[in-house]
Amino acid sequence: MVGKKSGKALLREEGLERTDNNLDLTTWPQVSMINQKNYYTEYLKREDQILPLRLQQEERRNHMTTNAKDRDRALAQSRPGEPPLPDLEMDIDDDVGLDDVNGLAGQDALGSKIIIIHPGSQNLRIGLASDALPKTVPMVIARKWNHSESEEHGDEPKPKRVKLDNGAPQEPEKMFGDEFASLYATMCTELKVHMRSHKRRVLPNSKELIVNYNKRTPPETISEHNDPLRIDWTDIPKDSLKAPAFITGKDALRIPDFSNPRYKLFWPLRYGWYNEHDYDQKRALYEDIAVIIEVAIKTQLNLPRKKEWSQYNCVFVVPDLYEKQYVTQILEMLLRDFGFGKVCFIQESLAATFGAGYTSACVVDLGAQKTSICCVEEGMCLENSRINLKYGGADVTEAFIKMMLFDHFPYDEINLNRRYDFLLAEELKTKFCTMNEGDVSPQPADFHLRASGQDTRKYMFKTYDEILLAPQSYFKPSVFDNSLKLRDRRKLIDRSRDLYDGAPNDPLSTAQSAIIAMIAPAPPPATQSGNGHTNGLEGTTSLTPLRQLPNPLQRFTEQERNHRSAVGSPAQDDDGTPAPQADGEMQESKTESDTAVRDDVLPIAPLDDAILTSIVHGARGDDRKTRDFLGGIMVIGGGSQIPGFYSYLEERLKESRPVYAKDIMIGTPPRELDPQGVVWKGGSVFGKLRGTNDSWISRLEHDRLGARVLAYKLMWAW
């Protein structure tokens, strides 16, 4: 009987036996596993691996080579007996001035090839770094349209009046509603009490005197040929084809409201944001900003040929609490559309300290439509101290007109949507508003109303406490009309988001969050019940941070109680300590909530409280820094030019914090600088510094890295 064969024997007989011939299964190279306990990489750990830093080193090396060649050439051409040439060699780590790199000398080395641009909600300030003062141009453009801005809302005037049911106008005392009437009456009463407590004379019937005078004073008509100060209006051709497509600057404000063809004014920036309400496409918004700046460069700086702009560099001033979409769009516009050689950015508060020569200060910038506050220390803006409030000089102008109309202002048809009325209101505010209580008395005044196609009218009227109560609205912002400031927010331009996790990455500030928390307090965190649902409304998302922010003024109160023992012992820092996360909550959701609050809640707060809040978060509990910032408050901007504003603000701050009364001091820009041009002046100083070459962004870097180059080039954390 034959025994049973094994499986291997059967495979051997059939030729299917597995043999090892030492051949690989594939020709693809095999990579061995990395030892997880000991491995190392140098990726992006050396400066020569980062393009912007590598280009800087190459630029410095080329500069050293050029200096060496020039020195050798000078030595070869020198004669015997001449004194030796100075040593021109530089270490590779030494700073190289931008003007030296470009080979400029003499007058060019003083900044005549550097353009400084500082845009605002109402005005654009532009000029060369070698100029003493900037050129100011209204940040507005007029385009052909079917109607003007005064006809857009059915001839609805601004400020808006309350009408009767039959459409007839209300009495002046009821023209703006009961809320404004009661608030205005309260402010008048408080002013009388304050003046009497300071031994100032107050007539009991002053208000009745000016009301009766304004009621019975008719205007005086002056023919146009007898008016020596008549206005030269912008001439518009009657032929629509010959009329220009757009007009910018001061000429746009002088276009008649009822011109043929019609023109509508567009302000691309409003309240420090993009003006998304007046535009239907963001491309048109970007184009208007570019056109306004381009025309200003051609007309104000005498640079009509765009091909020459590649020889110029630009310093652009951005807000302290900026939006990343704004900065990246401006960078692309300056390098691609305008073709500048290099571009760098600087924040407004830091530029203000450069212009005023301060090393440490709390900068308060009162603009036309926004007020920014930021603490600056040793050339850096403290991130958590940045505050951006959405009111300014334009709101004071509107409040002043409302108060005047409440007291029977003779020109009751004033409408700030009309161009000549807007200019008239600004003129009246600049001429009459004050914060000196000694000027509050019934005083006669007059103004001339000049409109296109009409005879000049001279109005006589009297003023009383309106001239002081209107600028006091900075400290009582509830007087302002804030109902339309958030309309169409985020209609065209969404917030910036992180490339990897999709979370909003616009810069945040704990001081700004504290202001928002005072306006709209955060609700208590929802607790989870046993059935897996959260208590509260289902399907709703909280738009406020889950952590209740502390009262920003609480630290001042605690320091007042034991300020002597607190010297030298800083308080516990609450800003940098993250709150414990709720169950299942991620950090991205908290960032989303913080950004949503800033979009949905309008940051409005009294000016003195906002300044103290900024200092609290900037000093971070350090008593010495608190005293330094309180003693270095610098107020700039057009809103600060009201007579007596500095002394009134200082008095308010001392009344709020009497313990620091001897330390509080309001500073003005030195060397008699214009408060409106301090930021621009700081940008010109920054552009001429030798160390700023690390902040310049070239076209090559932007083409290769895009907006990522900002993380390497900006002076602050991007």
Side-chain angles (χ1 to χ4, degrees):
M1 181 178 179
V2 181
K4 185 179 180 180
K5 295 183 179 180
S6 64
K8 291 185 178 180
L10 293 174
L11 293 175
R12 187 184 307 114
E13 292 179 359
E14 295 177 2
L16 299 177
E17 183 184 11
R18 181 178 179 180
T19 58
D20 189 6
N21 52 8
N22 295 326
L23 294 177
D24 295 333
L25 298 178
T26 178
T27 58
W28 193 266
Q30 299 293 325
V31 180
S32 59
M33 297 294 294
I34 298 177
N35 185 1
Q36 297 292 332
K37 296 182 179 180
N38 184 17
Y39 67 93
Y40 180 74
T41 179
E42 294 185 351
Y43 179 65
L44 293 183
K45 290 188 176 181
R46 298 197 310 267
E47 290 188 354
D48 57 353
Q49 295 175 339
I50 301 175
L51 177 64
L53 303 180
R54 185 168 66 249
L55 292 178
Q56 290 178 12
Q57 294 180 358
E58 294 177 358
E59 191 175 21
R60 293 174 179 175
R61 194 177 295 109
N62 294 336
H63 183 73
M64 292 179 59
T65 304
T66 304
N67 285 343
K69 291 181 180 179
D70 293 343
R71 180 177 176 81
D72 294 342
R73 187 182 301 107
L75 289 175
Q77 297 177 355
S78 61
R79 298 178 181 179
E82 291 184 355
L85 297 175
D87 189 9
L88 298 178
E89 295 183 0
M90 296 178 58
D91 188 77
I92 192 171
D93 294 331
D94 291 342
D95 290 333
V96 180
L98 183 66
D99 298 330
D100 300 335
V101 172
N102 292 339
L104 303 177
Q107 182 65 21
D108 290 341
L110 297 178
S112 60
K113 293 293 184 179
I114 301 176
I115 299 176
I116 316 298
I117 302 176
H118 178 210
S121 299
Q122 185 164 319
N123 291 316
L124 168 69
R125 290 176 177 85
I126 190 171
L128 298 174
S130 57
D131 296 339
L133 297 174
K135 308 292 191 303
T136 302
V137 180
M139 191 70 182
V140 63
I141 181 172
R143 290 190 176 274
K144 285 184 182 179
W145 216 253
N146 297 328
H147 53 268
S148 63
E149 62 276 7
S150 60
E151 304 170 330
E152 189 171 8
H153 301 289
D155 296 335
E156 180 69 28
K158 180 183 177 182
K160 189 176 181 180
R161 280 83 153 172
V162 177
K163 296 182 180 180
L164 297 175
D165 295 338
N166 56 2
Q170 279 273 18
E171 298 178 0
E173 292 82 0
K174 302 179 182 179
M175 188 179 294
F176 303 107
D178 297 336
E179 183 179 357
F180 177 81
S182 61
L183 184 59
Y184 182 42
T186 303
M187 294 177 66
C188 295
T189 304
E190 292 177 353
L191 178 61
K192 288 182 180 179
V193 173
H194 189 269
M195 293 178 63
R196 286 171 180 168
S197 64
H198 287 71
K199 308 300 181 182
R200 296 189 182 275
R201 183 183 178 185
V202 180
L203 297 177
N205 59 342
S206 300
K207 185 71 70 174
E208 290 77 7
L209 289 176
I210 65 168
V211 168
N212 294 331
Y213 181 84
N214 293 338
K215 280 182 180 180
R216 66 173 186 266
T217 305
E220 177 185 353
T221 303
I222 303 175
S223 57
E224 185 177 359
H225 62 275
N226 291 330
D227 185 8
L229 300 177
R230 59 181 178 271
I231 298 175
D232 294 332
W233 301 95
T234 303
D235 188 17
I236 302 297
K238 295 183 179 180
D239 189 358
S240 178
L241 298 177
K242 296 181 180 179
F246 61 86
I247 301 175
T248 64
K250 297 180 181 178
D251 294 337
L253 296 177
R254 293 301 183 186
I255 299 176
D257 288 83
F258 301 101
S259 62
N260 188 16
R262 292 283 196 276
Y263 280 84
K264 180 183 177 182
L265 298 185
F266 289 90
W267 304 82
L269 299 178
R270 298 272 85 178
Y271 311 108
W273 291 327
Y274 281 128
N275 181 15
E276 302 177 61
H277 172 69
D278 293 338
Y279 292 88
D280 296 329
Q281 297 178 354
K282 61 181 180 181
R283 181 178 179 182
L285 174 61
Y286 296 153
E287 182 181 354
D288 280 358
I289 296 177
V291 168
I292 294 173
I293 297 178
E294 180 180 348
V295 173
I297 294 175
K298 291 181 178 179
T299 58
Q300 302 296 326
L301 304 184
N302 297 323
L303 297 174
R305 300 176 60 184
K306 207 170 181 178
K307 295 181 179 179
E308 300 176 355
W309 293 4
S310 60
Q311 305 174 8
Y312 289 80
N313 304 292
C314 177
V315 177
F316 198 91
V317 183
V318 298
D320 304 323
L321 206 58
Y322 57 89
E323 293 183 346
K324 289 191 174 182
Q325 292 276 19
Y326 174 73
V327 179
T328 54
Q329 177 62 31
I330 291 297
L331 176 62
E332 183 175 357
M333 178 189 70
L334 296 177
L335 289 177
R336 294 186 180 275
D337 298 342
F338 293 171
F340 287 129
K342 292 184 178 181
V343 175
C344 74
F345 294 95
I346 184 173
Q347 292 172 296
E348 288 179 343
S349 296
L350 181 59
T353 57
F354 272 91
Y358 286 24
T359 58
S360 177
C362 177
V363 181
V364 182
D365 187 359
L366 297 175
Q369 294 187 350
K370 74 174 180 64
T371 298
S372 60
I373 306 170
C374 181
C375 295
V376 181
E377 184 181 22
E378 299 297 335
M380 290 296 294
C381 292
L382 302 181
E383 295 182 356
N384 287 332
S385 67
R386 297 175 294 181
I387 292 179
N388 196 316
L389 305 176
K390 301 306 177 183
Y391 60 75
D395 296 280
V396 175
T397 302
E398 184 176 353
F400 177 63
I401 296 301
K402 291 171 70 174
M403 293 177 181
M404 294 291 294
L405 291 172
F406 190 89
D407 294 336
H408 293 261
F409 188 56
Y411 180 41
D412 57 353
E413 299 175 359
I414 188 170
N415 181 8
L416 298 184
N417 289 328
R418 290 197 292 252
R419 295 154 198 171
Y420 58 88
D421 283 346
F422 168 76
L423 298 175
L424 173 64
E426 291 288 339
E427 179 185 354
L428 293 177
K429 182 193 71 172
T430 305
K431 186 176 181 181
F432 297 112
C433 281
T434 180
M435 301 200 77
N436 297 321
E437 291 185 355
D439 298 334
V440 179
S441 62
Q443 296 182 3
D446 63 84
F447 69 91
H448 294 77
L449 176 63
R450 298 178 176 90
S452 177
Q454 303 178 17
D455 291 335
T456 303
R457 285 174 286 175
K458 180 180 179 181
Y459 286 87
M460 303 290 295
F461 67 102
K462 282 189 177 183
T463 62
Y464 183 48
D465 53 1
E466 313 91 352
I467 59 177
L468 187 139
L469 294 179
Q472 275 190 3
S473 303
Y474 281 121
F475 308 93
K476 292 187 177 181
S478 57
V479 179
F480 300 145
D481 183 12
N482 303 317
S483 59
L484 301 178
K485 294 182 179 180
L486 281 176
R487 59 180 177 178
D488 294 333
R489 176 74 171 144
R490 301 296 183 189
K491 182 182 74 172
L492 301 177
I493 304 171
D494 194 10
R495 64 172 69 96
S496 175
R497 295 185 177 274
D498 189 82
L499 182 62
Y500 298 100
D501 55 12
N505 60 355
D506 280 331
L508 299 175
S509 168
T510 56
Q512 184 81 354
S513 300
I515 293 294
I516 294 176
M518 289 191 296
I519 300 171
T527 59
Q528 187 170 359
S529 59
N531 57 1
H533 297 285
T534 57
N535 296 334
L537 298 177
E538 297 183 2
T540 59
T541 306
S542 174
L543 295 180
T544 52
L546 295 179
R547 179 167 62 97
Q548 176 67 42
L549 294 174
N551 186 359
L553 305 181
Q554 184 177 2
R555 291 183 182 176
F556 272 114
T557 307
E558 294 175 355
Q559 291 175 3
E560 287 179 7
R561 293 175 182 172
N562 32 350
H563 60 280
R564 296 184 180 180
S565 61
V567 177
S569 57
Q572 183 179 0
D573 184 14
D574 295 334
D575 297 337
T577 305
Q581 299 294 327
D583 295 338
E585 181 188 5
M586 301 298 292
Q587 185 68 23
E588 291 80 1
S589 62
K590 182 179 182 300
T591 307
E592 178 81 21
S593 301
D594 292 343
T595 312
V597 165
R598 193 174 63 176
D599 287 342
D600 298 340
V601 179
L602 189 68
I604 297 291
L607 182 61
D608 50 348
D609 291 346
I611 294 175
L612 295 177
T613 303
S614 175
I615 293 177
V616 164
H617 290 270
R620 304 175 70 87
D622 191 341
D623 187 72
R624 181 185 60 82
K625 288 185 178 181
T626 301
R627 297 180 184 274
D628 290 344
F629 288 142
L630 287 174
I633 300 176
M634 181 174 62
V635 183
I636 59 175
S640 64
Q641 292 184 313
I642 300 174
F645 182 83
Y646 299 103
S647 58
Y648 184 83
L649 176 59
E650 185 173 338
E651 180 185 353
R652 293 270 305 191
L653 293 175
K654 289 181 178 179
E655 290 178 356
S656 300
R657 298 292 169 258
V659 172
Y660 297 97
K662 62 179 181 180
D663 299 315
I664 296 176
M665 182 179 298
I666 307 298
T668 58
R671 301 185 299 273
E672 298 182 355
L673 284 176
D674 183 9
Q676 301 181 76
V678 174
V679 175
W680 181 92
K681 190 65 177 179
S684 67
V685 174
F686 177 75
K688 292 184 289 187
L689 289 178
R690 293 178 59 86
T692 57
N693 63 317
D694 292 341
S695 302
W696 292 101
I697 302 173
S698 64
R699 177 71 177 273
L700 174 63
E701 296 168 344
H702 181 260
D703 289 343
R704 293 189 179 182
L705 297 180
R708 291 179 296 168
V709 72
L710 294 170
Y712 301 104
K713 289 293 187 175
L714 294 181
M715 297 181 61
W716 63 91
W718 173 250

